[in-house]
Amino acid sequence: MTTYETGIPETGALQQTGAPLRSRTHTWQPRPEMTPEIFGMSGLEILRASLKGELPGASMMSTLGFRLTEAAEGVAVFEGDPGDHLLNPMGTVHGGFLATLLDSALGSSVMTLLPAGTAYTTVQLGVHMIRPVMADTPTLRCEGTALHVGRTTATAEARVTGTHDGKLYAHATTTCAILRAG
């Protein structure tokens, strides 16, 4: 959950703009320890448990304002809400927001194909940003698709599109290392 508050600037350069200060607060539930029950779940089972609210989502999602919306074999979908809390010095949403959204969908698409007791980590991320995202850009959808999941490596691709206009905002590929138990 994210909440926003506004206030009056106290002093200095901010006072000159006349714009009220804003603050953003987010809350999250910490991930549980890797219990035998969780360790015994496949990647897809973990993501589906998160979708059902049986396991908390990754805290990064509340930090940046995005959420997992779908998980199926080889596919993971996230939606993200841009805002002025994500702006870079040029006044557009920082590319790191898109990169994180893409990396989440890419890795989670790989995760959906991993057996119990197996993890992954991103070792390469190639991002292509097509058009700028503004603070008032409506919700963006990011769909990741696993292309190959082998014994030691995996690859995936993802696309960020506007839910309001269907336009492509960014796309990416990844290579992940597969981390097997033992």
Side-chain angles (χ1 to χ4, degrees):
M1 170 172 46
T2 301
T3 57
Y4 293 91
E5 296 178 17
T6 58
I8 304 300
E10 295 177 17
T11 58
L14 290 177
Q15 184 67 37
Q16 295 173 6
T17 68
L21 291 177
R22 294 175 50 129
S23 68
R24 181 174 181 268
T25 305
H26 66 95
T27 56
W28 69 96
Q29 183 177 5
R31 302 278 301 177
E33 297 294 320
M34 284 301 285
T35 63
E37 179 182 272
I38 295 172
F39 196 71
M41 297 170 72
S42 71
L44 182 56
E45 289 169 333
I46 290 170
L47 291 175
R48 285 185 172 163
S50 179
L51 279 169
K52 292 177 188 175
E54 296 167 357
L55 287 175
S59 56
M60 175 59 73
M61 294 188 302
S62 73
T63 301
L64 292 181
F66 65 93
R67 63 212 156 271
L68 176 66
T69 60
E70 298 173 39
E73 286 190 17
V75 177
V77 179
F78 288 80
E79 289 188 352
D81 301 307
D84 66 354
H85 62 289
L86 298 170
L87 297 181
N88 62 28
M90 294 185 305
T92 60
V93 170
H94 193 282
F97 172 73
L98 289 172
T100 303
L101 189 60
L102 286 157
D103 188 42
S104 298
L106 291 161
S108 293
S109 71
V110 167
M111 184 176 171
T112 65
L113 297 175
L114 296 180
T118 306
Y120 74 91
T121 188
T122 301
V123 295
Q124 179 275 330
L125 176 66
V127 177
H128 300 272
M129 303 197 192
I130 306 302
R131 60 179 29 88
V133 176
M134 309 308 283
D136 62 353
T137 299
T139 301
L140 297 171
R141 174 185 167 90
C142 183
E143 183 170 337
T145 304
L147 300 174
H148 166 78
V149 178
R151 192 176 60 77
T152 59
T153 62
T155 60
E157 62 186 9
R159 298 166 51 97
V160 175
T161 56
T163 59
H164 62 293
D165 60 8
K167 290 182 179 177
L168 181 66
Y169 282 78
H171 60 95
T173 58
T174 192
T175 301
C176 295
I178 303 302
L179 310 171
R180 303 212 180 261

